[in-house]
PDB file of all heavy atoms in Angstrom:
ATOM      1  N   ASP A   1       0.819  -1.208   0.000  1.00 48.00           N
ATOM      2  CA  ASP A   1       0.000   0.000   0.000  1.00 48.00           C
ATOM      3  C   ASP A   1       0.849   1.253   0.000  1.00 48.00           C
ATOM      4  O   ASP A   1       2.052   1.220   0.133  1.00 48.00           O
ATOM      5  CB  ASP A   1      -0.980   0.001   1.184  1.00 48.00           C
ATOM      6  CG  ASP A   1      -0.271  -0.153   2.508  1.00 48.00           C
ATOM      7  OD1 ASP A   1       0.888   0.307   2.613  1.00 48.00           O
ATOM      8  OD2 ASP A   1      -0.863  -0.725   3.433  1.00 48.00           O
ATOM      9  N   SER A   2       0.170   2.406  -0.153  1.00 46.00           N
ATOM     10  CA  SER A   2       0.873   3.670  -0.340  1.00 46.00           C
ATOM     11  C   SER A   2       1.742   4.051   0.837  1.00 46.00           C
ATOM     12  O   SER A   2       2.751   4.714   0.671  1.00 46.00           O
ATOM     13  CB  SER A   2      -0.150   4.785  -0.606  1.00 46.00           C
ATOM     14  OG  SER A   2      -1.047   4.901   0.467  1.00 46.00           O
ATOM     15  N   SER A   3       1.363   3.643   2.048  1.00 47.00           N
ATOM     16  CA  SER A   3       2.183   3.991   3.210  1.00 47.00           C
ATOM     17  C   SER A   3       3.534   3.318   3.131  1.00 47.00           C
ATOM     18  O   SER A   3       4.559   3.900   3.494  1.00 47.00           O
ATOM     19  CB  SER A   3       1.478   3.597   4.509  1.00 47.00           C
ATOM     20  OG  SER A   3       1.295   2.199   4.562  1.00 47.00           O
ATOM     21  N   ASP A   4       3.577   2.079   2.652  1.00 50.00           N
ATOM     22  CA  ASP A   4       4.841   1.382   2.490  1.00 50.00           C
ATOM     23  C   ASP A   4       5.698   2.091   1.455  1.00 50.00           C
ATOM     24  O   ASP A   4       6.891   2.314   1.650  1.00 50.00           O
ATOM     25  CB  ASP A   4       4.602  -0.056   2.050  1.00 50.00           C
ATOM     26  CG  ASP A   4       3.920  -0.869   3.136  1.00 50.00           C
ATOM     27  OD1 ASP A   4       3.754  -0.316   4.226  1.00 50.00           O
ATOM     28  OD2 ASP A   4       3.566  -2.030   2.868  1.00 50.00           O
ATOM     29  N   THR A   5       5.082   2.452   0.327  1.00 47.00           N
ATOM     30  CA  THR A   5       5.817   3.114  -0.744  1.00 47.00           C
ATOM     31  C   THR A   5       6.378   4.445  -0.270  1.00 47.00           C
ATOM     32  O   THR A   5       7.529   4.789  -0.549  1.00 47.00           O
ATOM     33  CB  THR A   5       4.888   3.352  -1.952  1.00 47.00           C
ATOM     34  OG1 THR A   5       4.366   2.095  -2.371  1.00 47.00           O
ATOM     35  CG2 THR A   5       5.647   4.010  -3.093  1.00 47.00           C
ATOM     36  N   THR A   6       5.557   5.201   0.463  1.00 49.00           N
ATOM     37  CA  THR A   6       6.013   6.495   0.980  1.00 49.00           C
ATOM     38  C   THR A   6       7.211   6.331   1.889  1.00 49.00           C
ATOM     39  O   THR A   6       8.182   7.091   1.824  1.00 49.00           O
ATOM     40  CB  THR A   6       4.873   7.184   1.752  1.00 49.00           C
ATOM     41  OG1 THR A   6       3.775   7.363   0.873  1.00 49.00           O
ATOM     42  CG2 THR A   6       5.324   8.535   2.281  1.00 49.00           C
ATOM     43  N   ALA A   7       7.157   5.300   2.746  1.00 50.00           N
ATOM     44  CA  ALA A   7       8.263   5.062   3.671  1.00 50.00           C
ATOM     45  C   ALA A   7       9.549   4.757   2.908  1.00 50.00           C
ATOM     46  O   ALA A   7      10.626   5.253   3.240  1.00 50.00           O
ATOM     47  CB  ALA A   7       7.920   3.909   4.609  1.00 50.00           C
ATOM     48  N   ARG A   8       9.449   3.948   1.857  1.00 52.00           N
ATOM     49  CA  ARG A   8      10.631   3.599   1.081  1.00 52.00           C
ATOM     50  C   ARG A   8      11.196   4.833   0.364  1.00 52.00           C
ATOM     51  O   ARG A   8      12.412   5.028   0.289  1.00 52.00           O
ATOM     52  CB  ARG A   8      10.274   2.509   0.065  1.00 52.00           C
ATOM     53  CG  ARG A   8       9.918   1.180   0.701  1.00 52.00           C
ATOM     54  CD  ARG A   8       9.502   0.166  -0.357  1.00 52.00           C
ATOM     55  NE  ARG A   8       9.023  -1.070   0.245  1.00 52.00           N
ATOM     56  CZ  ARG A   8       9.804  -2.079   0.565  1.00 52.00           C
ATOM     57  NH1 ARG A   8      11.097  -1.996   0.361  1.00 52.00           N
ATOM     58  NH2 ARG A   8       9.279  -3.175   1.111  1.00 52.00           N
ATOM     59  N   VAL A   9      10.272   5.655  -0.197  1.00 46.00           N
ATOM     60  CA  VAL A   9      10.712   6.871  -0.888  1.00 46.00           C
ATOM     61  C   VAL A   9      11.434   7.805   0.070  1.00 46.00           C
ATOM     62  O   VAL A   9      12.494   8.367  -0.244  1.00 46.00           O
ATOM     63  CB  VAL A   9       9.497   7.590  -1.529  1.00 46.00           C
ATOM     64  CG1 VAL A   9       9.916   8.961  -2.060  1.00 46.00           C
ATOM     65  CG2 VAL A   9       8.940   6.743  -2.667  1.00 46.00           C
ATOM     66  N   LEU A  10      10.882   7.958   1.264  1.00 51.00           N
ATOM     67  CA  LEU A  10      11.529   8.813   2.266  1.00 51.00           C
ATOM     68  C   LEU A  10      12.909   8.283   2.619  1.00 51.00           C
ATOM     69  O   LEU A  10      13.860   9.040   2.837  1.00 51.00           O
ATOM     70  CB  LEU A  10      10.649   8.893   3.523  1.00 51.00           C
ATOM     71  CG  LEU A  10       9.371   9.724   3.397  1.00 51.00           C
ATOM     72  CD1 LEU A  10       8.558   9.623   4.679  1.00 51.00           C
ATOM     73  CD2 LEU A  10       9.705  11.184   3.117  1.00 51.00           C
ATOM     74  N   GLY A  11      13.034   6.963   2.680  1.00 54.00           N
ATOM     75  CA  GLY A  11      14.329   6.367   2.995  1.00 54.00           C
ATOM     76  C   GLY A  11      15.342   6.693   1.922  1.00 54.00           C
ATOM     77  O   GLY A  11      16.485   7.050   2.208  1.00 54.00           O
ATOM     78  N   VAL A  12      14.939   6.582   0.654  1.00 50.00           N
ATOM     79  CA  VAL A  12      15.850   6.893  -0.456  1.00 50.00           C
ATOM     80  C   VAL A  12      16.235   8.362  -0.440  1.00 50.00           C
ATOM     81  O   VAL A  12      17.400   8.724  -0.645  1.00 50.00           O
ATOM     82  CB  VAL A  12      15.186   6.522  -1.801  1.00 50.00           C
ATOM     83  CG1 VAL A  12      16.058   6.984  -2.958  1.00 50.00           C
ATOM     84  CG2 VAL A  12      14.972   5.021  -1.883  1.00 50.00           C
ATOM     85  N   VAL A  13      15.250   9.233  -0.195  1.00 47.00           N
ATOM     86  CA  VAL A  13      15.528  10.682  -0.124  1.00 47.00           C
ATOM     87  C   VAL A  13      16.532  10.972   0.972  1.00 47.00           C
ATOM     88  O   VAL A  13      17.461  11.762   0.809  1.00 47.00           O
ATOM     89  CB  VAL A  13      14.220  11.469   0.123  1.00 47.00           C
ATOM     90  CG1 VAL A  13      14.542  12.933   0.412  1.00 47.00           C
ATOM     91  CG2 VAL A  13      13.332  11.370  -1.103  1.00 47.00           C
ATOM     92  N   GLY A  14      16.366  10.312   2.109  1.00 55.00           N
ATOM     93  CA  GLY A  14      17.293  10.532   3.214  1.00 55.00           C
ATOM     94  C   GLY A  14      18.702  10.139   2.841  1.00 55.00           C
ATOM     95  O   GLY A  14      19.678  10.824   3.185  1.00 55.00           O
ATOM     96  N   ILE A  15      18.860   9.005   2.126  1.00 52.00           N
ATOM     97  CA  ILE A  15      20.190   8.557   1.713  1.00 52.00           C
ATOM     98  C   ILE A  15      20.816   9.564   0.764  1.00 52.00           C
ATOM     99  O   ILE A  15      21.992   9.908   0.875  1.00 52.00           O
ATOM    100  CB  ILE A  15      20.089   7.173   1.052  1.00 52.00           C
ATOM    101  CG1 ILE A  15      19.667   6.127   2.094  1.00 52.00           C
ATOM    102  CG2 ILE A  15      21.420   6.780   0.427  1.00 52.00           C
ATOM    103  CD1 ILE A  15      19.422   4.759   1.508  1.00 52.00           C
ATOM    104  N   VAL A  16      19.996  10.050  -0.201  1.00 47.00           N
ATOM    105  CA  VAL A  16      20.507  11.027  -1.167  1.00 47.00           C
ATOM    106  C   VAL A  16      20.986  12.285  -0.454  1.00 47.00           C
ATOM    107  O   VAL A  16      22.046  12.830  -0.755  1.00 47.00           O
ATOM    108  CB  VAL A  16      19.411  11.384  -2.203  1.00 47.00           C
ATOM    109  CG1 VAL A  16      19.879  12.538  -3.088  1.00 47.00           C
ATOM    110  CG2 VAL A  16      19.103  10.164  -3.054  1.00 47.00           C
ATOM    111  N   VAL A  17      20.201  12.750   0.523  1.00 48.00           N
ATOM    112  CA  VAL A  17      20.598  13.951   1.277  1.00 48.00           C
ATOM    113  C   VAL A  17      21.914  13.724   1.992  1.00 48.00           C
ATOM    114  O   VAL A  17      22.811  14.573   2.010  1.00 48.00           O
ATOM    115  CB  VAL A  17      19.491  14.320   2.286  1.00 48.00           C
ATOM    116  CG1 VAL A  17      19.973  15.441   3.202  1.00 48.00           C
ATOM    117  CG2 VAL A  17      18.241  14.787   1.548  1.00 48.00           C
ATOM    118  N   GLY A  18      22.056  12.540   2.598  1.00 54.00           N
ATOM    119  CA  GLY A  18      23.280  12.238   3.327  1.00 54.00           C
ATOM    120  C   GLY A  18      24.483  12.196   2.409  1.00 54.00           C
ATOM    121  O   GLY A  18      25.540  12.752   2.708  1.00 54.00           O
ATOM    122  N   VAL A  19      24.355  11.539   1.256  1.00 47.00           N
ATOM    123  CA  VAL A  19      25.470  11.445   0.307  1.00 47.00           C
ATOM    124  C   VAL A  19      25.851  12.825  -0.217  1.00 47.00           C
ATOM    125  O   VAL A  19      27.029  13.156  -0.358  1.00 47.00           O
ATOM    126  CB  VAL A  19      25.090  10.512  -0.860  1.00 47.00           C
ATOM    127  CG1 VAL A  19      26.150  10.567  -1.946  1.00 47.00           C
ATOM    128  CG2 VAL A  19      24.940   9.091  -0.350  1.00 47.00           C
ATOM    129  N   ALA A  20      24.825  13.629  -0.512  1.00 52.00           N
ATOM    130  CA  ALA A  20      25.101  14.980  -1.009  1.00 52.00           C
ATOM    131  C   ALA A  20      25.867  15.799   0.030  1.00 52.00           C
ATOM    132  O   ALA A  20      26.785  16.552  -0.296  1.00 52.00           O
ATOM    133  CB  ALA A  20      23.785  15.674  -1.370  1.00 52.00           C
ATOM    134  N   GLY A  21      25.497  15.638   1.291  1.00 53.00           N
ATOM    135  CA  GLY A  21      26.189  16.375   2.344  1.00 53.00           C
ATOM    136  C   GLY A  21      27.639  15.972   2.457  1.00 53.00           C
ATOM    137  O   GLY A  21      28.536  16.803   2.615  1.00 53.00           O
ATOM    138  N   VAL A  22      27.909  14.668   2.380  1.00 44.00           N
ATOM    139  CA  VAL A  22      29.295  14.184   2.465  1.00 44.00           C
ATOM    140  C   VAL A  22      30.107  14.706   1.289  1.00 44.00           C
ATOM    141  O   VAL A  22      31.245  15.153   1.430  1.00 44.00           O
ATOM    142  CB  VAL A  22      29.308  12.632   2.486  1.00 44.00           C
ATOM    143  CG1 VAL A  22      30.745  12.134   2.377  1.00 44.00           C
ATOM    144  CG2 VAL A  22      28.674  12.130   3.764  1.00 44.00           C
ATOM    145  N   ALA A  23      29.512  14.623   0.071  1.00 49.00           N
ATOM    146  CA  ALA A  23      30.212  15.093  -1.124  1.00 49.00           C
ATOM    147  C   ALA A  23      30.549  16.577  -1.023  1.00 49.00           C
ATOM    148  O   ALA A  23      31.645  17.015  -1.388  1.00 49.00           O
ATOM    149  CB  ALA A  23      29.358  14.827  -2.361  1.00 49.00           C
ATOM    150  N   TYR A  24      29.606  17.354  -0.519  1.00 50.00           N
ATOM    151  CA  TYR A  24      29.824  18.790  -0.368  1.00 50.00           C
ATOM    152  C   TYR A  24      30.980  19.057   0.574  1.00 50.00           C
ATOM    153  O   TYR A  24      31.839  19.909   0.334  1.00 50.00           O
ATOM    154  CB  TYR A  24      28.561  19.463   0.137  1.00 50.00           C
ATOM    155  CG  TYR A  24      28.692  20.973   0.292  1.00 50.00           C
ATOM    156  CD1 TYR A  24      28.536  21.820  -0.810  1.00 50.00           C
ATOM    157  CD2 TYR A  24      28.994  21.533   1.521  1.00 50.00           C
ATOM    158  CE1 TYR A  24      28.665  23.185  -0.666  1.00 50.00           C
ATOM    159  CE2 TYR A  24      29.136  22.894   1.672  1.00 50.00           C
ATOM    160  CZ  TYR A  24      28.970  23.726   0.573  1.00 50.00           C
ATOM    161  OH  TYR A  24      29.105  25.065   0.730  1.00 50.00           O
ATOM    162  N   GLY A  25      31.020  18.301   1.660  1.00 51.00           N
ATOM    163  CA  GLY A  25      32.089  18.488   2.635  1.00 51.00           C
ATOM    164  C   GLY A  25      33.444  18.166   2.037  1.00 51.00           C
ATOM    165  O   GLY A  25      34.437  18.860   2.273  1.00 51.00           O
ATOM    166  N   VAL A  26      33.533  17.087   1.256  1.00 43.00           N
ATOM    167  CA  VAL A  26      34.806  16.704   0.643  1.00 43.00           C
ATOM    168  C   VAL A  26      35.271  17.761  -0.344  1.00 43.00           C
ATOM    169  O   VAL A  26      36.438  18.155  -0.371  1.00 43.00           O
ATOM    170  CB  VAL A  26      34.653  15.338  -0.067  1.00 43.00           C
ATOM    171  CG1 VAL A  26      35.906  15.028  -0.875  1.00 43.00           C
ATOM    172  CG2 VAL A  26      34.406  14.251   0.969  1.00 43.00           C
ATOM    173  N   LEU A  27      34.358  18.234  -1.202  1.00 49.00           N
ATOM    174  CA  LEU A  27      34.719  19.243  -2.191  1.00 49.00           C
ATOM    175  C   LEU A  27      35.178  20.542  -1.525  1.00 49.00           C
ATOM    176  O   LEU A  27      36.140  21.179  -1.963  1.00 49.00           O
ATOM    177  CB  LEU A  27      33.530  19.511  -3.117  1.00 49.00           C
ATOM    178  CG  LEU A  27      33.157  18.365  -4.067  1.00 49.00           C
ATOM    179  CD1 LEU A  27      31.869  18.706  -4.816  1.00 49.00           C
ATOM    180  CD2 LEU A  27      34.297  18.116  -5.045  1.00 49.00           C
ATOM    181  N   ALA A  28      34.470  20.911  -0.457  1.00 50.00           N
ATOM    182  CA  ALA A  28      34.849  22.147   0.242  1.00 50.00           C
ATOM    183  C   ALA A  28      36.247  22.016   0.836  1.00 50.00           C
ATOM    184  O   ALA A  28      37.045  22.942   0.826  1.00 50.00           O
ATOM    185  CB  ALA A  28      33.818  22.456   1.325  1.00 50.00           C
ATOM    186  N   GLY A  29      36.536  20.811   1.360  1.00 51.00           N
ATOM    187  CA  GLY A  29      37.857  20.596   1.939  1.00 51.00           C
ATOM    188  C   GLY A  29      38.957  20.687   0.880  1.00 51.00           C
ATOM    189  O   GLY A  29      40.037  21.235   1.116  1.00 51.00           O
ATOM    190  N   ARG A  30      38.701  20.152  -0.314  1.00 51.00           N
ATOM    191  CA  ARG A  30      39.697  20.196  -1.384  1.00 51.00           C
ATOM    192  C   ARG A  30      39.927  21.626  -1.843  1.00 51.00           C
ATOM    193  O   ARG A  30      41.071  22.026  -2.166  1.00 51.00           O
ATOM    194  CB  ARG A  30      39.206  19.360  -2.563  1.00 51.00           C
ATOM    195  CG  ARG A  30      39.273  17.854  -2.264  1.00 51.00           C
ATOM    196  CD  ARG A  30      38.784  17.046  -3.454  1.00 51.00           C
ATOM    197  NE  ARG A  30      38.897  15.634  -3.218  1.00 51.00           N
ATOM    198  CZ  ARG A  30      38.466  14.705  -4.071  1.00 51.00           C
ATOM    199  NH1 ARG A  30      37.902  15.081  -5.235  1.00 51.00           N
ATOM    200  NH2 ARG A  30      38.595  13.417  -3.782  1.00 51.00           N
ATOM    201  N   ARG A  31      38.855  22.435  -1.876  1.00 50.00           N
ATOM    202  CA  ARG A  31      39.026  23.827  -2.292  1.00 50.00           C
ATOM    203  C   ARG A  31      39.924  24.599  -1.332  1.00 50.00           C
ATOM    204  O   ARG A  31      40.775  25.376  -1.728  1.00 50.00           O
ATOM    205  CB  ARG A  31      37.659  24.507  -2.396  1.00 50.00           C
ATOM    206  CG  ARG A  31      36.829  24.012  -3.569  1.00 50.00           C
ATOM    207  CD  ARG A  31      35.433  24.574  -3.517  1.00 50.00           C
ATOM    208  NE  ARG A  31      34.626  24.075  -4.638  1.00 50.00           N
ATOM    209  CZ  ARG A  31      33.322  24.296  -4.737  1.00 50.00           C
ATOM    210  NH1 ARG A  31      32.678  25.010  -3.808  1.00 50.00           N
ATOM    211  NH2 ARG A  31      32.646  23.814  -5.785  1.00 50.00           N
ATOM    212  N   ARG A  32      39.716  24.338  -0.027  1.00 50.00           N
ATOM    213  CA  ARG A  32      40.551  25.045   0.964  1.00 50.00           C
ATOM    214  C   ARG A  32      42.022  24.608   0.825  1.00 50.00           C
ATOM    215  O   ARG A  32      42.939  25.403   0.985  1.00 50.00           O
ATOM    216  CB  ARG A  32      40.034  24.758   2.375  1.00 50.00           C
ATOM    217  CG  ARG A  32      38.714  25.452   2.690  1.00 50.00           C
ATOM    218  CD  ARG A  32      38.481  25.500   4.214  1.00 50.00           C
ATOM    219  NE  ARG A  32      38.500  24.163   4.754  1.00 50.00           N
ATOM    220  CZ  ARG A  32      37.424  23.409   4.866  1.00 50.00           C
ATOM    221  NH1 ARG A  32      36.256  23.858   4.437  1.00 50.00           N
ATOM    222  NH2 ARG A  32      37.514  22.190   5.388  1.00 50.00           N
ATOM    223  N   THR A  33      42.243  23.333   0.520  1.00 47.00           N
ATOM    224  CA  THR A  33      43.594  22.825   0.414  1.00 47.00           C
ATOM    225  C   THR A  33      44.325  23.407  -0.791  1.00 47.00           C
ATOM    226  O   THR A  33      45.515  23.748  -0.751  1.00 47.00           O
ATOM    227  CB  THR A  33      43.581  21.289   0.287  1.00 47.00           C
ATOM    228  OG1 THR A  33      42.919  20.752   1.421  1.00 47.00           O
ATOM    229  CG2 THR A  33      45.001  20.721   0.217  1.00 47.00           C
ATOM    230  N   SER A  34      43.582  23.528  -1.914  1.00 50.00           N
ATOM    231  CA  SER A  34      44.192  24.029  -3.138  1.00 50.00           C
ATOM    232  C   SER A  34      44.354  25.535  -3.153  1.00 50.00           C
ATOM    233  O   SER A  34      45.016  26.100  -4.025  1.00 50.00           O
ATOM    234  CB  SER A  34      43.362  23.596  -4.357  1.00 50.00           C
ATOM    235  OG  SER A  34      42.049  24.117  -4.258  1.00 50.00           O
TER     236      SER A  34
END
């Protein structure tokens, strides 16, 4: 049912947000180093 689907979608969104945050942090660190 839709509640299950919504929960899975939210889980994927959360993972994407987390990965984006890590990537941003790494790029920012490289800019400061260079």
